[in-house]
Amino acid sequence: MQYLSTRAPAGSTERKRFCEILLEGLAPDGGLYLPERYPQVSDAMLNAWRRLSYADLAFEILSLYIDDIPADDLRALCRKTYTPEVFGTPEIVPLKKLEDGLYLEALSNGPTLAFKDMAMQLLGNLFEYELARRGEQLNILGATSGDTGSAAEYAMRGKQGVRVFMTSPYGRMSPFQQAQMFSLQDANIHNIAIQGVFDDCQDIVKAVSNDLDFKRKYKIGTVNSINWARLMAQVVYYFAGYCQVTKTNAEQVSFTVPSGNFGNVCAGHVARMMGLPIAKLVVATNENDVLDEFFRTGVYRVRGSADTHETSSPSMDISKASNFERFVFDLLGRDGDRTRDLFGAQLSSQGRFDLHADPAFPQAAQRYGFVSGRSTHDNRLATIRDTWTRLGVMVDTHTADGVKVAREHLQAGTPMIVLETALPIKFAATIVEALGREPERPAKFNGIEDLPKRVTEMQARAQDVKAYIARHCD
Ligand SMILES: *Cc1c(COP(=O)(O)O)cnc(C)c1O
């Protein structure tokens, strides 16, 4: 399998292999990598996959996209990653029935209790494998408002050849999220609390990465959600969810996905393009409704920081959706020139583009199955209360946005699977507001807030972060 950039000019033959793009972020032209075609899953393959463990299902799917890691090594990496010890159950992503036709797929029983573990745990093992093979080191620099940073740190802790430098806005994460990250004592994990907001952290990461000499000298890399390997790992649980709900491949299911950067639901799009019988892909946003606006109107409008709301589902608080370019590339018939014009030229000059009059736009729903909805703080509270009191299931704030929007898109005869993206304990304050009680806490996290913390506070200055990295890279 070869990979191309979403901004590749017509006729370009520039292609890369999987292991070349594994450690890279954006393509050099500013685009995102996609496979040059989507491998097709036959009826016989899907039938055979129904009997596999999650780890072996992951191996089957990944080997359609990776041909530069020997099969035995790749299978061993999958089996080392997706274990009941790490993910809590033999199914890895067990299904919970909410009511007739409506299910939750549990993606948040990994080490940090959010779905990002599903991909990040694999990425940690892939990075360690590939860096050892090349005899190289990598210093991962990131910015987090919570879930990404902790998932990255728990995936990379103790790994050979990798260090993590994770910036976060001082005092802005939930107490549980802070405790998760700052209690890690591994020598290769560095927490940097920045006096500022999340945007300041992102600006620092950009400034450091734009210093190409520094980037090269200190081998700076990233693990953000535009990484193809993360997206590919997420494709697996769409297949696993489908196989748990259905008995035959004649049945269709729909998925509702709590969305921010469009990474999770983009994996659903890839699964659907591979032939998984998905009826609808429902994009659920919070008050930061960039994506809902696009799917309703055809207008994609990036928000300024003044229009980006701090909500009670904070992992979906985005001003633009960094993976969305992948879907638009497909929607426009894989026209790299147009994609470059929209996401390069138009977004930087006008902050928006409008596809409502384009013949491709109706295809988003008709051909690709995308619909959307949004949820507010009040919807979130009402949904958390309703699923708890009536159905006896406690959901986190992001999953609540999913359940709320899923109900607006139910179709008789088509099961709806809502992806559970985090456990309630991560966002306890809103659970208390909704239910007047604390969420359940998995036993292994008892007393985590009282553990010693390993974190360095810093002003929002890129040069200070660079100096810190330089000091810790010898
Ligand atoms: C990251 C995250 C999301 C959003 O996922 P995207 O891939 O950015 O769309 C939703 N819910 C939770 C809990 C998350 O951590």
Side-chain angles (χ1 to χ4, degrees):
M1 180 62 77
Q2 309 249 56
Y3 291 84
L4 80 174
S5 164
T6 52
R7 298 189 189 179
S12 135
T13 52
E14 168 99 17
R15 298 286 186 273
K16 290 195 168 159
R17 312 275 299 274
F18 175 78
C19 287
E20 293 177 83
I21 64 167
L22 171 64
L23 303 171
E24 251 184 77
L26 290 176
D29 61 12
L32 280 66
Y33 288 112
L34 273 178
E36 62 180 352
R37 62 187 166 76
Y38 294 112
Q40 296 301 298
V41 175
S42 68
D43 206 39
M45 284 161 85
L46 192 50
N47 278 334
W49 289 0
R50 286 177 178 277
R51 291 186 292 275
L52 298 181
S53 67
Y54 191 90
D56 288 351
L57 176 65
F59 166 70
E60 293 295 333
I61 293 173
L62 265 48
S63 37
L64 301 174
Y65 290 99
I66 303 175
D67 52 17
D68 48 356
I69 296 179
D72 287 344
D73 291 357
L74 186 60
R75 190 185 289 106
L77 288 169
C78 291
R79 287 186 177 170
K80 177 174 158 189
T81 302
Y82 298 110
T83 67
E85 291 69 39
V86 175
F87 286 95
T89 65
E91 299 91 345
I92 308 296
V93 290
L95 226 58
K96 216 180 295 182
K97 181 169 170 178
L98 278 183
E99 53 198 11
D100 279 345
L102 185 60
Y103 300 83
L104 283 184
E105 184 175 351
L107 305 183
S108 39
N109 295 321
T112 73
L113 309 184
F115 89 96
K116 292 185 174 69
D117 290 329
M118 295 303 307
M120 209 72 92
Q121 287 287 316
L122 180 75
L123 204 65
N125 286 326
L126 282 170
F127 273 23
E128 187 176 50
Y129 174 86
E130 182 60 16
L131 288 168
R133 199 157 72 158
R134 298 185 190 185
E136 285 178 16
Q137 299 257 326
L138 186 70
N139 292 306
I140 293 167
L141 174 64
T144 188
S145 55
D147 290 341
T148 305
S150 54
E153 292 187 355
Y154 280 76
M156 304 297 167
R157 61 187 297 200
K159 291 272 187 294
Q160 294 297 316
V162 191
R163 289 190 197 90
V164 177
F165 296 90
M166 191 56 66
T167 62
S168 61
Y170 179 84
R172 299 280 178 135
M173 294 188 292
S174 80
F176 186 85
Q177 287 176 317
Q178 292 184 42
Q180 270 188 323
M181 286 178 53
F182 300 167
S183 64
L184 288 181
Q185 300 297 328
D186 306 74
N188 71 330
I189 303 295
H190 298 270
N191 288 302
I192 303 174
I194 297 290
Q195 307 277 1
V197 294
F198 176 59
D199 280 342
D200 297 316
C201 300
Q202 269 189 316
D203 289 345
I204 289 172
V205 171
K206 268 189 218 137
V208 175
S209 305
N210 286 341
D211 180 344
L212 295 181
D213 287 337
F214 185 89
K215 191 177 170 190
R216 209 169 301 121
K217 178 164 183 208
Y218 290 102
K219 304 190 166 44
I220 302 293
T222 57
V223 287
N224 49 26
S225 76
I226 56 158
N227 182 295
W228 165 257
R230 277 183 67 181
L231 211 133
M232 178 191 64
Q234 293 169 179
V235 172
V236 179
Y237 52 69
Y238 286 87
F239 280 86
Y242 176 84
C243 290
Q244 287 182 78
V245 166
T246 61
K247 292 209 167 55
T248 75
N249 304 342
E251 298 165 67
Q252 287 203 320
V253 307
S254 292
F255 285 90
T256 299
V257 188
S259 295
N261 273 318
F262 203 77
N264 196 351
V265 75
C266 194
H269 164 67
V270 172
R272 198 173 181 278
M273 296 303 282
M274 293 170 71
L276 188 67
I278 296 176
K280 288 198 162 34
L281 286 166
V282 185
V283 177
T285 75
N286 64 17
E287 292 89 333
N288 296 295
D289 55 359
V290 186
L291 290 169
D292 180 44
E293 180 174 77
F294 175 79
F295 286 109
R296 277 186 300 104
T297 68
V299 174
Y300 182 68
R301 182 171 59 88
V302 169
R303 311 295 199 247
S305 31
D307 292 329
T308 308
H309 310 285
E310 263 187 54
T311 75
S312 46
S313 43
S315 299
M316 291 152 57
D317 292 350
I318 48 101
S319 53
K320 58 181 166 43
S322 45
N323 272 289
F324 187 53
E325 181 169 336
R326 288 194 160 105
F327 171 65
V328 171
F329 178 66
D330 282 346
L331 181 68
L332 298 176
R334 302 207 130 195
D335 183 334
D337 293 307
R338 272 197 80 194
T339 308
R340 180 165 11 93
D341 178 52
L342 293 179
F343 283 87
Q346 287 205 35
L347 279 192
S348 27
S349 65
Q350 295 155 39
R352 70 201 291 279
F353 60 75
D354 182 352
L355 292 181
H356 91 273
D358 193 290
F361 176 63
Q363 303 290 320
Q366 287 159 18
R367 174 153 174 230
Y368 296 98
F370 274 101
V371 290
S372 69
R374 85 195 274 276
S375 166
T376 63
H377 182 69
D378 286 342
N379 297 140
R380 217 163 286 140
L381 294 179
T383 306
I384 292 169
R385 256 179 229 128
D386 176 65
T387 36
W388 176 244
T389 53
R390 202 163 53 82
L391 307 170
V393 177
M394 201 184 283
V395 292
D396 100 288
T397 50
H398 308 76
T399 310
D401 291 334
V403 172
K404 186 265 180 184
V405 174
R407 288 189 195 283
E408 297 161 359
H409 294 282
L410 295 175
Q411 286 175 300
T414 307
M416 174 67 81
I417 301 177
V418 179
L419 299 185
E420 178 191 67
T421 54
L423 290 195
I425 184 69
K426 294 200 91 168
F427 305 97
T430 308
I431 301 296
V432 172
E433 185 182 347
L435 303 179
R437 56 159 283 176
E438 291 285 335
E440 295 132 15
R441 172 184 290 245
K444 64 179 171 184
F445 292 100
N446 280 338
I448 188 177
E449 289 90 343
D450 304 325
L451 294 174
K453 295 190 169 46
R454 201 162 158 273
V455 55
T456 306
E457 281 168 39
M458 250 178 246
Q459 307 254 298
R461 281 201 301 250
Q463 78 239 39
D464 295 3
V465 173
K466 280 190 202 168
Y468 180 92
I469 294 173
R471 265 203 316 281
H472 290 87
C473 279
D474 305 315

